[in-house]
Amino acid sequence: MRLLVEDADLERASESLLALADWLRYEEDLRGKARLEHADVDSGQMGGLPEALVVAVSAGGSATVLARAVVEWVKQRKSDVTVKAVRPTGESFEIDLRRVSDPDAVVSEFCAFLSREPSDAEPDETAER
């Protein structure tokens, strides 16, 4: 599962992604299951910005821990943040709490997304929430 932080400012998105990675490091059930994925480095650059957080989760316990941790992290942000979870098939789930009255319902929906078997959807067919 790839987690992306969406922001018009790439540097701010990368900083938020680093903060999310650090947040998940404190979740015992997720230790060692998350790694940053960096953008390609162009000639003359010192290094690429992190563009995604790849998390290995299985249905059940670690999926629930990831869902709760990500939703809690989004709730703690001072600025508007959208986290997008993307399957290898291209299916996605967006966490944007600006218009949500029940964050626990988002946790349940995100858990269901993480726990179900990937569909045979084409990579450009997404199910956004």
Side-chain angles (χ1 to χ4, degrees):
M1 181 71 50
R2 293 177 81 228
L3 298 178
L4 311 168
V5 174
E6 296 184 341
D7 195 308
D9 182 311
L10 291 177
E11 191 169 326
R12 189 170 49 224
S14 291
E15 289 171 2
S16 293
L17 196 58
L18 288 168
L20 177 56
D22 188 52
W23 181 274
L24 295 180
R25 219 177 314 242
Y26 291 99
E27 294 294 338
E28 186 174 326
D29 291 338
L30 299 176
R31 283 198 191 118
K33 295 181 180 181
R35 67 175 171 76
L36 287 168
E37 187 175 88
H38 290 76
D40 292 333
V41 179
D42 291 331
S43 178
Q45 286 186 324
M46 299 267 306
L49 295 172
E51 62 181 12
L53 182 59
V54 179
V55 184
V57 293
S58 58
S62 62
T64 302
V65 170
L66 178 62
R68 289 194 182 285
V70 171
V71 169
E72 189 60 37
W73 181 81
V74 171
K75 285 172 37 179
Q76 300 296 321
R77 301 294 96 202
K78 291 181 172 69
S79 60
D80 293 331
V81 174
T82 299
V83 174
K84 187 174 190 177
V86 182
R87 292 181 180 279
T89 61
E91 291 176 279
S92 66
F93 185 95
E94 288 190 13
I95 300 169
D96 180 348
L97 298 179
R98 287 177 280 198
R99 295 173 293 279
V100 172
S101 60
D102 186 4
D104 289 333
V106 175
V107 170
S108 295
E109 289 177 36
F110 191 30
C111 281
F113 173 78
L114 293 170
S115 297
R116 77 171 187 261
E117 290 296 318
S119 74
D120 294 329
E122 292 296 318
D124 60 349
E125 293 180 37
T126 60
E128 295 183 12
R129 300 276 186 261

